[in-house]
Amino acid sequence: MCGFVGCFDLNSGSQPIAEGLKEELRSQILEMSKKIRHRGPDWSGVYTGENAILSHERLAIVDPLSGKQPLVSDDEKIILAVNGEIYNHKQLRQEYSGKYNFRTQSDCEVIIPLYKEYRQSKDFARMIEKLSGIFAFALYDSENDTYLIGRDQIGVIPLYQGWDKAGRYYVASELKALEGNCQTIEEFPNGHYLYSGGESIPLGCTSSKPTLSNGGHPRNAPAKPTLWYKRNWESYEEVKNSPRATDEKGEIINPSVIEKVRNGLEAAVKAQLMSDVPYGVLLSGGLDSSIIAAVTQKFSKKRVETDSRESAWWPQLHSFAVGLEGSPDLVAAKKAADYIGTVHHEVHFTIQEALDALPDVIYHIETYDITTVRASTPMYLLARVIKSMGIKMVLSGEGSDELFGGYLYFHKAPNAQEFHEELVRKMSKLHLYDCLRANKSLMAWGVEGRVPFLDKDFIDIAMSLNPSDKMNIKLPDGKLRMEKWILRKAFEDLLPENICWRQKEQFSDGVGYNWIDTLKKMTEEKVSDAEFARRENRFPVNSPKTKEEYYYREIYSRLFPSDSAARCVPHEAGVACSTAKALEWDAAWKNADEPSGRAIAGVHNDAYKN
C-alpha cells in the first residue's frame, strides 16, 4: 500500500506543454507528494511526460527490491502508479505469460497487460473486474495520450480527484495533497473508473458507445466516472429466496450454507497473507477480529506465496490490542490471544494522550465525522507502536458488521427486506467511515491494513445469503438470536465460547467507555453556547449538529479550509452507526444522533458488568 499524486493534461490544450511550465508543475507535484509520504516511506519515484506527471510514495510489502513505482511497461509506453494490493496477481501473471514481458515481481504490474488487452475494446469494466484486491490506480498511456483511473469495489483504498484553475485534472491518495492546489476537490467514487479517451463500454453493454462529456474538464473526459462494480445482491428480490441455513425457529436445516461462509472467509484470509515483510493482526477481542486472527494463525506457519511448501519467514503471529487500562477490549483480546496462540501485545493509552493526538488524527483521517474521530484516535496510537516493532502489514476485521448486520440497531429491523436494504446502504458507505478510518489511521505511520471480510468473492457470498438467516429472530425460548449468528456458528470451533458469543462492542466503546464520555464532556465545555448558536454562519457547509462535531470541525477547517474539502466529509444523522433511513425503525430515534452502540437501549449490555 502506498500513495500517489497524478496530474494530467498539463497544457490543457492540444500542443505539448512548454518546458518551463512542465518543470514548474513537476516541482508542484513533488511538493504535493511529500504531504503523503507517510503512506510510502520506503521509496519515492516520479514520471514526467508530455501531458502527465505521476509521483509515487512506496510502502514496500511485496517485492521490496524491484517493485518501485511508477511502474513502466515492457515497451516503455505505459506508466502506472498504484496504491494497494492485487491478491490474484500470480494467476494473472500466468495468464499473460509469453504475452507480456514482466519487468518486476510487483503484484500491481499485472494491471499493465490487462490494460493492453482491453484498451482497444475499451471494456474497462471487464478489465477491472478481473482484479481481486484493494486498489486505486492511475495509468497513463503515452502512446495514445490517454489516462485510466480506477478504484476498488468498496473503496478500501482512498482516492480523491481535483481540478486547478487552468482545468488540469489531478488525482491523489489523500485530500491533503490536493488542498490548496485545486479549486475543486471530490472523492473519486468507489467501484468506478475514469477513462479520458472519450469512449468506453458502460457496465452491462456489449459495444462501445460515446460517453457524455462535460466540456469543462480537460480533453472532454467523461463528465462522471463510469461504474464497473455492480451486483445482483443489491436487490432484495434477488436474495429473498436464497437457500436458508435455519428454519423459522432457528434450527439448522442446511449446514452447507454455514460451511460456505467459513470456506469463503478462510480463502480470503489466505489470499491476503501475501507478504514479503513481517505482518500481524489487530485483535480487539470482538468476534470479527478474533475470527481473522484465528484463521490467520491457521495459515501463518507457511508462506502462502509458495503454496505452503516453504516455512514462513516470520513463523510467530503477533496480535495487537489497544485500550484504556482495564477496558473491555483489552480483557477480551487477552482471552482470545491466549486461546489462539498469538504473541500478544497490549497498548495502553491515557485520555490525555488521546486528546493531545486529536489534531494529528484529524489531519491524517481527513474527516470531522464524530464516530470516525472517536475510533480513529486509539487506532492511530496503536499503529505507531506496531510500526515501532517492525510490523508493516496487519489484518483487521472491518466490514463484517455491514455484511452480517452486526450493529446493535439491526435488532430493530422490522423485516428481512428492511434489514437487507440497510446492509446494502451500509456497504455503499463503508468508504466514508470504517474503510477510511482503518486505512488512514494505520497509514499515518506507514502500516498497511488488509480487510479479508471485504474480499470481493466473500462479499458476494455474504450479501447473497438469505437475509432471514442474518436477522435477530425470536427463538423458542423467547430470546432474540444474537447478531451475526451465522458467522459465529461458522467459526465457533476456532474461538473460546465467551469470545465467539461476545456481544457487539463498537471499537470506540470497547477501548474504554470513558474515552467517549470524556470527549462529550470536554467538547461541551470547550464550545460555548454562543459559538454553537452561530454554527450555520461559521460553517455554512454541513453545519455541525452537536458541540462535539463543532469542535472537530474547527480543527478540520484550520487544516483543510476550502468548501470543497468540507463537502468531502459525510454528514448524516444516525444512531449506533445507522444510516438516516434506519432511524425510521424506532420512534425513539426520531431526534437521535449518537453513534455509540450504547445508545441502543434494551439491547446493549454494559461490558464492565459482564
Side-chain angles (χ1 to χ4, degrees):
M1 201 170 292
C2 314
F4 63 80
V5 177
C7 178
F8 302 93
D9 297 293
L10 306 187
N11 206 35
S12 295
S14 59
Q15 300 300 316
I17 188 171
E19 283 300 319
L21 178 58
K22 184 189 295 185
E23 284 304 310
E24 181 181 329
L25 285 171
R26 186 179 189 276
S27 296
Q28 174 187 306
I29 294 295
L30 289 175
E31 288 301 314
M32 295 166 71
S33 192
K34 284 181 183 179
K35 294 181 180 179
I36 58 172
R37 188 154 293 163
H38 52 274
R39 297 187 66 88
D42 297 334
W43 189 270
S44 296
V46 63
Y47 162 83
T48 306
E50 289 302 316
N51 259 323
I53 300 174
L54 286 170
S55 180
H56 190 272
E57 307 293 341
R58 187 181 187 217
L59 179 67
I61 304 293
V62 175
D63 187 23
L65 295 180
S66 69
K68 61 185 181 181
Q69 296 192 36
L71 296 163
V72 181
S73 62
D74 53 356
D75 59 8
E76 300 192 349
K77 294 178 180 179
I78 297 169
I79 297 86
L80 174 69
V82 187
N83 174 16
E85 305 288 345
I86 308 301
Y87 301 126
N88 64 335
H89 76 105
K90 285 210 163 187
Q91 298 95 301
L92 291 171
R93 279 176 175 271
Q94 199 168 30
E95 183 178 330
Y96 288 101
S97 177
K99 303 176 186 177
Y100 174 82
N101 181 29
F102 285 93
R103 305 178 75 175
T104 74
Q105 293 301 311
S106 169
D107 55 294
C108 298
E109 192 180 356
V110 295
I111 294 174
I112 295 176
L114 274 169
Y115 171 77
K116 282 190 165 190
E117 178 180 346
Y118 286 94
R119 67 178 163 183
Q120 184 171 357
S121 67
K122 298 183 176 65
D123 191 355
F124 298 118
R126 182 172 298 181
M127 168 197 152
I128 301 174
E129 186 67 63
K130 295 191 74 169
L131 299 173
S132 175
I134 51 176
F135 55 83
F137 67 82
L139 181 150
Y140 179 61
D141 182 341
S142 63
E143 183 178 25
N144 297 297
D145 193 23
T146 55
Y147 56 85
L148 176 67
I149 316 297
R151 190 180 182 193
D152 70 63
Q153 60 274 6
I154 298 299
V156 175
I157 303 299
L159 185 63
Y160 295 84
Q161 60 184 351
W163 294 264
D164 69 9
K165 60 185 178 182
R168 300 182 191 92
Y169 178 61
Y170 295 77
V171 288
S173 297
E174 292 188 2
L175 183 153
K176 58 179 62 66
L178 302 180
E179 180 75 350
N181 293 289
C182 292
Q183 290 190 320
T184 302
I185 302 171
E186 301 171 355
E187 184 184 18
F188 191 95
N190 57 295
H192 285 68
Y193 70 85
L194 178 68
Y195 177 60
S196 69
E199 292 184 351
S200 63
I201 298 180
L203 188 67
C205 294
T206 56
S207 61
S208 178
K209 295 181 180 179
T211 57
L212 296 174
S213 65
N214 64 3
H217 290 178
R219 288 210 313 272
N220 292 326
K224 292 182 179 180
T226 302
L227 180 71
W228 70 263
Y229 182 71
K230 181 72 176 175
R231 291 295 187 268
N232 289 337
W233 50 251
E234 294 175 25
S235 167
Y236 174 70
E237 293 300 314
E238 295 290 334
V239 300
K240 68 178 183 180
N241 294 319
S242 296
R244 288 199 59 175
T246 61
D247 60 19
E248 298 300 329
K249 296 180 180 179
E251 297 294 328
I252 296 176
I253 56 173
N254 191 353
S256 65
V257 175
I258 300 173
E259 291 170 10
K260 189 175 183 180
V261 171
R262 171 146 178 170
N263 294 338
L265 186 58
E266 287 194 346
V269 171
K270 184 178 181 181
Q272 297 191 21
L273 292 181
M274 174 187 79
S275 176
D276 293 328
V277 299
Y279 62 82
V281 290
L282 301 185
L283 182 57
S284 69
L287 175 70
D288 309 328
S289 65
S290 297
I291 288 174
I292 298 301
V295 177
T296 301
Q297 179 74 309
K298 179 178 177 178
F299 295 115
S300 65
K301 303 302 180 186
K302 300 287 185 179
R303 276 178 56 77
V304 299
E305 295 88 340
T306 54
D307 297 323
S308 299
R309 294 191 301 271
E310 180 183 348
S311 294
W313 296 348
W314 301 277
Q316 287 188 293
L317 180 64
H318 291 249
S319 57
F320 300 87
V322 65
L324 300 174
E325 191 78 42
S327 68
D329 276 4
L330 289 181
V331 174
K334 181 67 165 59
K335 294 176 183 176
D338 288 346
Y339 190 90
I340 295 167
T342 60
V343 180
H344 189 59
H345 308 277
E346 283 190 2
V347 177
H348 299 169
F349 72 93
T350 67
I351 294 290
Q352 191 57 56
E353 286 172 334
L355 294 176
D356 290 343
L358 278 174
D360 288 337
V361 171
I362 292 173
Y363 174 74
H364 281 288
I365 65 175
E366 302 177 322
T367 183
Y368 47 83
D369 172 68
I370 291 177
T371 187
T372 308
V373 174
R374 289 175 176 180
S376 295
T377 305
M379 184 171 268
Y380 171 87
L381 296 172
L382 175 63
R384 188 173 193 174
V385 176
I386 292 172
K387 184 59 179 288
S388 74
M389 295 183 62
I391 301 291
K392 296 179 72 173
M393 184 270 281
V394 291
L395 282 79
S396 188
E398 273 75 23
S400 171
D401 292 314
E402 288 75 12
L403 291 171
F404 293 95
Y407 294 108
L408 298 186
Y409 75 89
F410 274 97
H411 281 258
K412 302 280 189 175
N415 54 58
Q417 181 170 352
E418 288 278 354
F419 188 101
H420 181 75
E421 290 176 352
E422 175 69 0
L423 289 182
V424 173
R425 287 190 291 269
K426 287 293 294 180
M427 290 295 292
S428 73
K429 296 172 184 290
L430 261 171
H431 63 103
L432 299 171
Y433 300 101
D434 288 31
C435 289
L436 179 151
R437 165 182 53 79
N439 182 277
K440 293 182 180 178
S441 297
L442 294 170
M443 288 299 285
W445 298 105
V447 177
E448 175 180 299
R450 296 186 183 174
V451 283
F453 278 107
L454 296 178
D455 171 84
K456 188 166 62 173
D457 291 337
F458 186 70
I459 290 173
D460 289 342
I461 291 172
M463 290 300 291
S464 298
L465 295 173
N466 193 305
S468 296
D469 275 335
K470 300 180 183 179
M471 288 191 70
N472 315 107
I473 62 172
K474 185 169 287 188
L475 301 174
D477 62 4
K479 295 181 179 179
L480 282 178
R481 185 167 65 186
M482 183 170 275
E483 66 277 354
K484 294 187 287 193
W485 174 89
I486 194 168
L487 184 63
R488 298 175 193 274
K489 200 68 183 171
F491 291 93
E492 63 180 345
D493 64 313
L494 290 186
L495 301 174
E497 184 178 4
N498 58 357
I499 296 298
C500 184
W501 300 97
R502 181 189 177 198
Q503 187 183 57
K504 165 68 182 175
E505 192 79 77
Q506 287 172 209
F507 182 64
S508 52
D509 288 322
V511 297
Y513 296 165
N514 198 35
W515 167 232
I516 290 179
D517 295 342
T518 299
L519 283 173
K520 294 167 73 172
K521 181 176 183 294
M522 182 269 290
T523 54
E524 184 68 31
E525 295 170 352
K526 291 278 189 180
V527 179
S528 70
D529 292 341
E531 285 177 313
F532 190 63
R534 295 192 296 269
R535 62 190 180 277
E536 293 185 359
N537 295 326
R538 175 74 177 86
F539 301 112
V541 176
N542 292 349
S543 298
K545 299 185 290 291
T546 67
K547 287 189 175 182
E548 185 179 357
E549 185 183 2
Y550 187 104
Y551 183 82
Y552 303 150
R553 184 65 181 279
E554 279 279 12
I555 297 173
Y556 182 90
S557 65
R558 292 196 296 269
L559 299 167
F560 309 104
S562 71
D563 285 349
S564 277
R567 291 190 181 96
C568 287
V569 178
H571 199 249
E572 180 180 23
V575 61
C577 294
S578 77
T579 67
K581 176 68 174 174
L583 293 178
E584 299 173 4
W585 292 353
D586 191 320
W589 297 347
K590 185 176 181 181
N591 298 311
D593 190 15
E594 172 51 60
S596 170
R598 290 182 287 160
I600 307 300
V603 176
H604 180 270
N605 296 319
D606 188 338
Y608 285 99
K609 296 178 181 178
N610 291 343

